[in-house]
Amino acid sequence: MDYSIESAPLDKLQSDCLVVGVYENQSLDKNAKQLDALTHGLLSRLLGRGDIKAKVGETLFINHTGLAGVERIVLLGFGDKNQLNRKSYRKAIQSLVKLLREAKLKSATAALLDIEVQAADLIWCGRQIVEVIHEGVYQYSATKKIDDKVALTHLAIAANAEQLPLATQALQQGQAIAQGVELAKHLADLPGNICTPTYLAQQAQTLAAHHPDLQCDVLEEADMQALGMGALLGVSRGSRQPAKLISLHYQGADAGVKPIVLIGKGLTFDAGGISLKPGLGMDEMKYDMCGGASVLGVMRMVTELNLKLNIVGLIPASENLPDGDANKPGDILTSMAGKTIEILNTDAEGRLILCDTLTYAERFNPDVVIDMATLTGACIVALGRVPSGLFGNDDALCEDLQRAAEVACDAVWRMPIWDEYQEQLKSNFADLANIGGPDGGSITAACFLANFAKDFRWAHIDIAGTAWRTGANKGATGRPVPLLSQYLINRAG
Ligand code: BES
Ligand code: MN
Ligand code: ZN
């Protein structure tokens, strides 16, 4: 899929399909008005006839225009002009891409930058067009033959001379974010027998090879042993695939600038270990590496935009499988931080690979540390599949993330990590238990992590409910790449 900016005026435009916006009460957007004049009132006639009410996302396909350059027109509804918010704008673009797919069009021109969206600017609109369309044409094909390939391969965004500079920026950002999301989705959709810890490490190395400011180091199990990462190694004991601790170093700012450290859970398959999960839906545990995939996606975005930031990406990658040598309930592991951990349930493995990675993050003298993890089913019970759970020890950092989430339409909801919950993690035999009982499971998981994040500003994003869709539409979403991208773009200023 490629994208471009079309700066020819509508009367000179060559397009397979020109998309313009309409509002309820038969009102036309600026570009639609112009097109209406060029077509001698065709659009207002169709609106007047009631062919389209222009509710958000409603479309009308016109396959004959009478114009020399424009083959087809799509009228796209944006609802009430005075109530158009970010979500409705995205919803409209989502239904546009559905229509373009169904009509099997190869290319289209979107003249939608004059649509006014509450609390959003032109850059945001342009970016969303790219992000939503890119998402809408994504097709998984790594292990499956596709009969009905999406025809759409080119999208142009119409911008006048005045809009051109911002539109260009929007296109760059939109493409960078969309490619980051695509990478995260692709890796996450791959099966566990292909996407192993070693495979993830190779992907990180490939990414680094493509950019001079990005460097990749991979710690092997022997290195982890030397560092005392007993918690991480405890999880990988039961697996024949060696664990990897992948680190990516991006230097876009002066060497002295403290890095933003991003950590992503890279559990390439979570069977639960000796505390084996039930069989139903267990295939979805290939998605337990979505946090790690998001780190790779974000790194791809950052290198694409050459953001002036220093960023360290850390991905603890392992499988969690039952085995004669796997760790068992009652076993006690010693973490890199020196704290002992009683394993009460081997299925609570994410926090074990993350706690050693949090300790490891200290050596980078981080400005902030943000981890992303498909950590708890309890997070889905608490919040459903709409927002990710946000936890953190620093209000300013959490507020920055909340703001970025809103703009990116990649929602989060803040949850508490009060000291009272630490009671649930007490053990008679170790400094900490790895589970806190049935109550508040996503909170006690975050509280477990908080014990290893005392020396820096830290946020944890539980993406168990948001990183992939379940059911007939099963597939990775690429979240929270949009949120992190927005946060980093904001930080870069
Ligand atoms: N990867 C899972 C969390 C998960 C479950 C994500 C379902 C998405 C959907 C995690 O490793 C896990 O198994 N957590 C346990 C924790 C429990 C044993 C305290 C869970 O959520 O059941
Ligand atoms: Mn688990
Ligand atoms: Zn897991």
Side-chain angles (χ1 to χ4, degrees), residues 265 267 270-273 277 285 288 320 345-350 375:
K265 176 180 176 184
L267 217 289
D270 181 12
K277 286 183 182 294
M285 283 300 121
D288 214 12
N320 185 28
N345 188 319
T346 64
D347 198 8
E349 85 297 336
L375 201 63

Side-chain angles (χ1 to χ4, degrees), residues 49 101 143 147 165 169 204 258 303 329 395 437:
R49 205 161 78 178
R101 276 182 74 149
T143 52
D147 300 325
Q169 225 180 313
K258 284 181 165 193
T303 52
D395 287 342

